[in-house]
Amino acid sequence: MQADLADPVFLAVLELWVAARTDPDLRSVLGPVERRVFATVHATVAEVVGDEDPRVATLVQFTVDLLTGAAMTRLVDPGGSAQARVVERWRRALPVLLGRADADTWL
C-alpha cells in the first residue's frame, strides 16, 4: 500500500487535484473521474468486508482521505516515518472500529 502512494501515477493525480483547485475546467473534468474511481474503491471494499455494516462507507472514505493526506505529506517529508506510523495505527484500528476486534488488541 505504501508503495502505491509513491507511484508516479498517484503522484500525478495529486498534482492534478491541486491544479484543479484553481482551474475550473480541469475541476469539471476531474470531478466525475474522481467520483467513478472512489465509487469503485468503495464497491470493492464493500465486497471484501461486506456492505451490510453502515460504518464501512465512512471508514473507507476516512482511509482514502488518510492515505491521500499521508502521500501529500511524504512529498515534503520523504522519510515519512511519522506518516507510516499513523497509517499502520489506522490499519490496526479499522477492525476495532468495525467491531471485529477488541479495542485493547490494537495498541
Side-chain angles (χ1 to χ4, degrees):
M1 177 67 71
Q2 292 290 343
D4 294 333
L5 299 177
D7 184 89
V9 172
F10 184 75
L11 295 175
V13 169
L14 289 178
E15 291 179 24
L16 287 171
W17 281 341
V18 171
R21 183 183 73 79
T22 58
D23 184 332
D25 293 333
L26 177 58
R27 189 171 45 249
S28 70
V29 172
L30 191 57
V33 173
E34 179 183 300
R35 285 188 289 279
R36 280 197 311 273
V37 169
F38 287 158
T40 300
V41 169
H42 282 266
T44 301
V45 172
E47 284 180 25
V48 172
V49 301
D51 61 355
E52 66 280 348
D53 189 327
R55 296 172 286 191
V56 169
T58 299
L59 293 175
V60 168
Q61 191 60 52
F62 283 172
T63 302
V64 168
D65 292 344
L66 172 81
L67 294 174
T68 302
M72 293 186 81
T73 301
R74 286 184 78 116
L75 295 174
V76 295
D77 179 17
S81 61
Q83 295 81 25
R85 280 193 306 275
V86 168
V87 170
E88 175 58 22
R89 287 176 182 157
W90 181 249
R91 185 192 65 76
R92 290 183 307 187
L94 281 171
V96 174
L97 295 170
L98 286 166
R100 297 178 181 171
D102 184 52
D104 293 333
T105 63
W106 83 279
L107 297 172

